[in-house]
Amino acid sequence: MSDAAQIYPLGLRVAGRLVVVVGGGPVAARRVRSLVDAGARVRVVAPHTVLGEQDLPVAAETLEFRTGPEGEPQPGTIEWVRREYRTGDLDGAWLAHTATGSASADRQVADDAERGRIFCVTAGDASVGSAWVPAVARTTLTDDAEVTVAVTAGRDPRRARAIRDAVAAELASGTLPLRRHRPRASRVEPVETHPLVEPVETTPLVEPVETLVSTSSTREAGSTRAGRVWLVGGGPGDTGLITARGRAVLAQADVVVVDRLGPRALLEELAPEVEVIDVGKTSGNHPVPQHEINALLVQHALAGRDVVRLKGGDPYVFGRGGEELAACQAAGVEAEVVPGVTSAVSVPAAVGIPVTHRGVARGFSVLTGHDGAAQVPGGPDHTLVLLMGVTNLAGSAAALITADRPADTPAAVVEDGYGPRQRVTVGALSTIAARAAAAGVKPPAIVVVGDVVRLSPAWPA
């Protein structure tokens, strides 16, 4: 039987239990810190230690210790027995660690532990011990559950750490399946009776499925846990441009309320039981009004579900994230804003247009195509970015022509940034509307006005 086949992986609850650490060097100190954090009663046996240098306070220092439970250190504290190890020092211990730097001393500890039926970790020669410490990473998820990853790799600690770090990175990125599978209790208060919420019916993007969380009519009595809401900026639409935090919370959602311009390809990675609700808007067509979207977020959260509001760009850049946050707070629902890469900057960059550039543009303004563009100060050296500006492009372009911003100021329309239809049309303020119409430009598109447009490869030489 191989060495790996002889290992039975398990977790040990050491809180309140005596653990003896033999040795006082840096390796022993690392083990002591982990044990203290886990609430163990830690007894260190060594003539010298670096505990003080490692900011590990010693609660008691002695040359001898009292045997029996009454002589043990308090949970989460350290007792230092300031002398060399002796047989009998493991009496009463549940676990032993030895890291003396001496092969013979470590073997003595391991042999004593074996006779006393105490599992022992040896830092020098792992083959001498009966237990091993894995490389560990802990990740706290959105529902406050903690995922612990422990890796052993054939007594190769560097390989184990590398694998641990890779798995931890995947956990943080949200690319691993992180959703809760056991039901979580929610509030007793029925959603329908909450004074700030009216039930909303919408058409899901996917076929309805039975949720894991009880509805208001079947909740468990005495339950107290409500869901939470994350207002996630999904970036300009490319799945690689959502933040790691955004992807991580999306992977744990029970309900996803999605916009038309969010990174919708990520929805294909969700578990089949996740409810996806499409509230996408187009120009002049708002099938789900904003007040109903607000109510949806609150309604599902109060039913005990974790909700991700997946938006394009950034929630706070013309994304009505502030309104949705206020609605959640007014209903007592915990909410977090997860910033995103705004399309006002990223979409121009996709076609080689920086919104600022030394010697060309010192600042920029972002507004919608519905706003009063003529009121924005500045000339060609101040970049203007118009979101949702295609429908009223002719009117906006005409209004932007001023004494400071002449008719020949460069302008560009970027369609479907980072999407399959990405295309850029360039011209001047006096011609951009006609050129866009001739090219058949369609939303979604962003308009950029200013000298920075000349930096795009699409600008004629």
Side-chain angles (χ1 to χ4, degrees):
M1 181 182 296
S2 67
D3 287 347
Q6 296 177 31
I7 297 175
Y8 182 75
L10 80 165
L12 293 178
R13 191 185 301 276
V14 297
R17 294 180 167 89
L18 177 63
V19 179
V20 175
V21 177
V22 182
V27 174
R30 288 198 296 271
R31 302 284 169 82
V32 168
R33 184 181 299 279
S34 297
L35 292 166
V36 168
D37 290 344
R41 303 171 185 264
V42 182
R43 176 175 292 153
V44 176
V45 181
H48 308 283
T49 77
V50 296
L51 297 177
E53 300 171 18
Q54 301 291 329
D55 295 325
L56 288 166
V58 174
E61 180 180 335
T62 181
L63 294 175
E64 297 295 339
F65 59 86
R66 290 183 299 158
T67 59
E70 66 280 355
E72 295 179 359
Q74 294 298 308
T77 66
I78 305 167
E79 177 189 55
W80 176 23
V81 181
R82 188 164 44 85
R83 58 166 172 74
E84 298 286 353
Y85 172 80
R86 301 172 189 165
T87 296
D89 285 348
L90 304 183
D91 290 353
W94 293 71
L95 176 67
H97 285 255
T98 179
T100 64
S102 165
S104 59
D106 285 346
R107 178 168 289 279
Q108 181 186 355
V109 176
D111 290 344
D112 288 347
E114 186 70 19
R115 284 190 292 271
R117 296 190 174 186
I118 301 166
F119 281 106
C120 180
V121 179
T122 56
D125 183 356
S127 65
V128 173
S130 55
W132 292 263
V133 175
V136 176
R138 292 182 171 88
T139 301
T140 301
L141 304 182
T142 58
D143 59 357
D144 296 327
E146 185 178 81
V147 171
T148 300
V149 176
V151 180
T152 59
R155 300 175 189 167
D156 185 342
R158 291 186 178 180
R159 174 187 287 180
R161 288 195 295 269
I163 296 171
R164 172 205 62 191
D165 292 345
V167 174
E170 292 293 292
L171 283 170
S173 72
T175 56
L176 296 181
L178 304 179
R179 279 195 74 246
R180 180 186 65 252
H181 288 273
R182 288 189 175 183
R184 183 185 62 200
S186 58
R187 292 185 189 175
V188 174
E189 178 189 6
V191 172
E192 292 81 354
T193 63
H194 193 283
L196 295 177
V197 179
E198 294 181 2
V200 177
E201 294 184 1
T202 60
T203 302
L205 184 64
V206 296
E207 289 295 321
V209 296
E210 182 180 356
T211 61
L212 293 176
V213 182
S214 302
T215 63
S216 59
S217 60
T218 59
R219 295 182 192 141
E220 299 178 15
S223 60
T224 58
R225 180 68 167 86
R228 286 177 285 189
V229 172
W230 285 265
L231 307 176
V232 176
D238 186 288
T239 57
L241 293 177
I242 187 172
T243 65
R245 175 65 174 167
R247 191 155 188 167
V249 299
L250 180 63
Q252 300 170 64
D254 300 313
V255 178
V256 178
V257 181
V258 63
D259 272 349
R260 180 174 65 97
L261 299 181
R264 297 169 76 91
L266 291 177
L267 302 178
E268 299 174 6
E269 301 177 5
L270 300 177
E273 63 268 20
V274 177
E275 184 176 356
V276 180
I277 302 172
D278 190 347
V279 295
K281 304 172 184 177
T282 57
S283 179
N285 180 27
H286 299 175
V288 185
Q290 186 61 48
H291 72 276
E292 292 189 6
I293 295 175
N294 298 347
L296 267 173
L297 303 178
V298 173
Q299 180 175 324
H300 282 285
L302 291 180
R305 305 179 184 105
D306 284 339
V307 184
V308 164
R309 174 73 170 102
L310 184 60
K311 300 170 171 288
D314 182 273
Y316 277 6
V317 181
F318 298 112
R320 296 196 171 181
E323 298 174 41
E324 293 169 355
L325 179 65
C328 292
Q329 292 174 336
V333 171
E334 183 180 347
E336 176 188 336
V337 177
V338 181
V341 178
T342 175
S343 57
V345 174
S346 59
V347 169
V351 296
I353 302 176
V355 294
T356 64
H357 190 84
R358 187 167 62 173
V360 180
R362 296 179 295 172
F364 69 99
S365 297
V366 181
L367 58 158
T368 72
H370 316 299
D371 293 333
Q375 307 302 318
V376 180
D381 63 345
H382 185 92
T383 307
L384 298 183
V385 181
L386 278 66
L387 308 183
M388 300 167 281
V390 172
T391 302
N392 194 37
L393 178 57
S396 296
L400 285 172
I401 298 174
T402 65
D404 293 329
R405 192 183 296 111
D408 62 354
T409 299
V413 182
V414 187
E415 293 176 82
D416 195 29
Y418 291 97
R421 296 188 301 105
Q422 178 176 297
R423 180 176 61 160
V424 59
T425 301
V426 297
L429 274 178
S430 58
T431 63
I432 190 61
R435 290 192 177 189
V441 169
K442 297 179 181 179
I446 286 177
V447 180
V448 186
V449 178
D451 283 341
V452 291
V453 173
R454 299 180 190 274
L455 301 174
S456 173
W459 187 260

